[in-house]
Amino acid sequence: MSRDFVQSTSRLCSGGRLFLLVVGCLLLLQFFSFAHQRNAQNGETHLRTSQRTQFHILEKVEEENIQLPQPRKQSPRAVKRKKPKRPTTFIDEFLDESSLLRHVFFPDRRTAVDPRKDYGNDTYYYQPGRMWLDTEGNPIQAHGGGILYDARTKMYYWYGEYKDGPTYRAHKKGAARVDIIGVSCYSSKDLWTWKNEGIVLAAEEKNETHDLYKSNVLERPKVIHNDKTDKYVMWMHLDDANYTKASVGIAISDFPTGPFRYLYSKRPHGYDSRDMTLFKDDDGVAYLIYSSEHNKDLHIGPLNKEYIDVMDSMKKILIGQHREAPALFKHQGTYYMITSGCTSWSPNEALAHASKSIMGPWETIGNPCIGGNKIFRLTTFFAQSTFVVPLSGLPGLFIFMADRWNPADLKDSRYVWLPLTVGRPLDHPPEYDFGSPLWSRVSIYWHKKWRLPYR
């Protein structure tokens, strides 16, 4: 056998072994990749299953069994002298500072939610209606507020009315009020532990002609970020003590924690504007939604590219329905909104609305409140809508933010945060024209204590 043949055969064998080795490595890589993918899929499936299980827990109805206190006894002579009174209602008890049910609606500080404490397994639980403390141990002052998630800092920012002042009435028939102190800002990574970042837009103390003069009204501040100008833009309801100014105010800042520089006020589209909110859509276009024409209608229209003025385009929606406190959100291409009736500081029934286009037409799809009891559902759990927080990674689950107003002492108003879901069929499908969509139900579930599924 020739030497060349032996060398050739040896090279062929070596090449064959190398080929088999490469193929084996590729097969092993494919196997490990498949196993990793399978584990990841199993992990995602487990996570989805866990989330669904916890969704079902949040959707369990909690009932409340509270009874009206017995009426105080009166002498027969006193009964004869006085005209018959209408029966006392739960709303009367809610508004009565001396009510025996006061502790039900406004539990004292001993039950406060305090992030400085070690609650063990009870950490991160929301407890609607209880006093909620910040990281310094002070009650959070962010009423009528809204949440901004800032991708740059990976933080949530909660802006609201700072009401830590005395409650009074400007005149005998005037509404309860607190002088303007300013707009507060709190920051959080987890939506439960909140650090006070201070007053980011302060009242004007001396200039009585200024929109922010302390005896005026500043309500419902909302902040959005403009990606093009890199500015943080705040809009708010501004008014005088008699609620005749009925305008919006605009301020801007380079940072989410302020300070915000006040720009000006105006009546948007030439109409009176009271309760309002902002909504920034997926395409970056932002919208102003406000109660107008003495709260008879809601108006909605886009802002300009800088978010510091409205465009000419505007639509009137929910005409003649007398709705306020709009809180707008979006799910799977459909726009939803929660609104309140107009009963000053008294709680009333929330309604949910839906539309395929943000500019309308909007359709009312019923009361979203579930649980508690009948009076809880007819009073939005004794609270009023202010904002709806979308939750990344939890499609179909949102946080419904509401204020439980305390007109006797506005600084002691409480926060009612509850799980809101979208997806069930409507209890009673509304009447709709041929071709209109069948809306999913918006549901807000009452819980004395709850937490987010990923906690």
Side-chain angles (χ1 to χ4, degrees):
M1 190 179 293
S2 70
R3 183 182 301 169
D4 291 342
F5 178 77
V6 171
Q7 289 176 344
S8 174
T9 305
S10 176
R11 282 196 297 272
L12 282 170
C13 290
S14 298
R17 283 196 296 271
L18 182 62
F19 173 76
L20 289 172
L21 184 63
V22 170
V23 169
C25 287
L26 289 172
L27 287 171
L28 279 171
L29 282 171
Q30 190 172 5
F31 172 77
F32 284 123
S33 174
F34 176 76
H36 176 74
Q37 191 175 12
R38 198 57 192 275
N39 286 335
Q41 287 175 346
N42 288 338
E44 288 175 7
T45 302
H46 176 74
L47 180 62
R48 284 196 297 269
T49 303
S50 174
Q51 286 178 352
R52 277 198 300 271
T53 301
Q54 294 183 65
F55 269 38
H56 288 318
I57 292 171
L58 293 180
E59 290 175 345
K60 287 182 69 175
V61 174
E62 279 191 39
E63 297 294 339
E64 290 285 348
N65 184 23
I66 58 174
Q67 303 292 327
L68 284 170
Q70 291 294 321
R72 294 167 188 167
K73 289 184 178 180
Q74 294 180 313
S75 68
R77 186 176 296 176
V79 171
K80 285 181 181 179
R81 282 200 308 264
K82 292 180 180 179
K83 292 180 180 179
K85 285 186 176 180
R86 66 175 176 80
T88 301
T89 68
F90 277 106
I91 292 178
D92 295 328
E93 295 292 337
F94 173 80
L95 296 172
D96 183 0
E97 244 185 307
S98 62
S99 170
L100 296 175
L101 294 179
R102 190 74 177 170
H103 68 284
V104 174
F105 305 118
F106 301 98
D108 64 29
R109 191 180 177 115
R110 289 173 296 179
T111 66
V113 177
D114 188 347
R116 301 170 303 164
K117 291 183 179 179
D118 181 6
Y119 289 102
N121 291 334
D122 282 348
T123 303
Y124 300 119
Y125 273 92
Y126 299 104
Q127 301 192 52
R130 291 195 182 187
M131 193 177 288
W132 195 353
L133 308 184
D134 63 22
T135 54
E136 296 173 357
N138 298 313
I140 293 172
Q141 290 288 334
H143 308 284
I147 302 286
L148 167 74
Y149 177 73
D150 186 54
R152 182 181 301 166
T153 58
K154 293 182 170 57
M155 298 284 284
Y156 293 95
Y157 295 94
W158 181 3
Y159 303 91
E161 306 160 31
Y162 193 86
K163 287 188 173 297
D164 195 10
T167 298
Y168 71 96
R169 296 179 187 273
H171 48 84
K172 189 176 180 180
K173 293 186 178 180
R177 55 161 290 136
V178 171
D179 279 347
I180 299 177
I181 299 172
V183 177
S184 58
C185 174
Y186 293 81
S187 63
S188 175
K189 287 185 179 292
D190 58 23
L191 287 168
W192 188 79
T193 307
W194 293 97
K195 175 187 174 185
N196 186 359
E197 299 289 352
I199 303 293
V200 295
L201 180 69
E204 169 57 43
E205 294 287 335
K206 296 179 180 178
N207 183 359
E208 296 184 14
T209 65
H210 197 284
D211 288 338
L212 301 181
Y213 183 62
K214 60 185 180 181
S215 66
N216 288 332
V217 172
L218 187 162
E219 296 176 336
R220 299 187 175 272
K222 302 293 185 288
V223 175
I224 53 177
H225 179 253
N226 189 306
D227 301 328
K228 293 179 180 177
T229 64
D230 200 24
K231 298 288 186 185
Y232 296 87
V233 186
M234 178 189 296
W235 286 61
M236 69 213 84
H237 166 213
L238 285 180
D239 233 312
D240 54 30
N242 295 317
Y243 283 84
T244 58
K245 183 178 176 67
S247 301
V248 291
I250 302 98
I252 59 171
S253 176
D254 293 325
F255 307 99
T257 53
F260 281 78
R261 178 169 60 90
Y262 183 72
L263 298 180
Y264 68 100
S265 68
K266 71 176 296 183
R267 285 192 161 193
H269 311 108
Y271 287 91
D272 59 300
S273 172
R274 290 181 172 82
D275 280 9
M276 48 70 58
T277 193
L278 296 177
F279 179 76
K280 182 180 175 182
D281 212 340
D282 304 328
D283 58 4
V285 178
Y287 296 83
L288 173 69
I289 304 96
Y290 59 98
S291 296
S292 191
E293 301 186 62
H294 301 283
N295 289 339
K296 183 168 63 72
D297 310 331
L298 282 177
H299 293 182
I300 185 167
L303 304 184
N304 66 7
K305 291 181 180 180
E306 295 77 27
Y307 297 172
I308 58 173
D309 201 356
V310 291
M311 303 288 281
D312 292 336
S313 175
M314 182 272 284
K315 291 286 186 181
K316 297 182 180 184
I317 62 174
L318 307 184
I319 295 172
Q321 295 189 34
H322 296 274
R323 307 303 295 175
E324 65 178 12
L328 200 147
F329 61 102
K330 188 178 183 180
H331 178 61
Q332 294 183 347
T334 298
Y335 300 89
Y336 296 94
M337 181 164 52
I338 309 294
T339 64
S340 158
C342 301
T343 53
S344 187
W345 298 115
S346 299
N348 58 65
E349 183 179 15
L351 290 176
H353 318 270
S355 177
K356 282 296 179 183
S357 166
I358 194 168
M359 298 293 279
W362 285 80
E363 189 167 7
T364 300
I365 56 176
N367 184 339
C369 299
I370 296 177
N373 58 33
K374 183 178 179 181
I375 189 63
F376 268 58
R377 293 188 290 275
L378 292 177
T379 59
T380 318
F381 313 113
F382 292 93
Q384 185 183 39
S385 52
T386 185
F387 199 76
V388 174
V389 187
L391 298 168
S392 177
L394 295 172
L397 179 65
F398 302 80
I399 296 177
F400 171 69
M401 290 174 57
D403 295 281
R404 180 173 287 175
W405 298 113
N406 180 358
D409 186 10
L410 285 168
K411 68 175 179 292
D412 191 36
S413 298
R414 305 299 176 84
Y415 309 104
V416 174
W417 287 25
L418 291 167
L420 181 154
T421 64
V422 182
R424 290 174 176 270
L426 289 178
D427 297 334
H428 304 287
E431 294 181 7
Y432 55 91
D433 295 330
F434 180 78
S436 294
L438 282 170
W439 308 111
S440 295
R441 194 190 200 287
V442 176
S443 304
I444 302 169
Y445 295 91
W446 171 251
H447 292 275
K448 290 181 181 178
K449 186 172 104 174
W450 70 283
R451 65 180 174 184
L452 294 170
Y454 48 71
R455 297 297 186 207

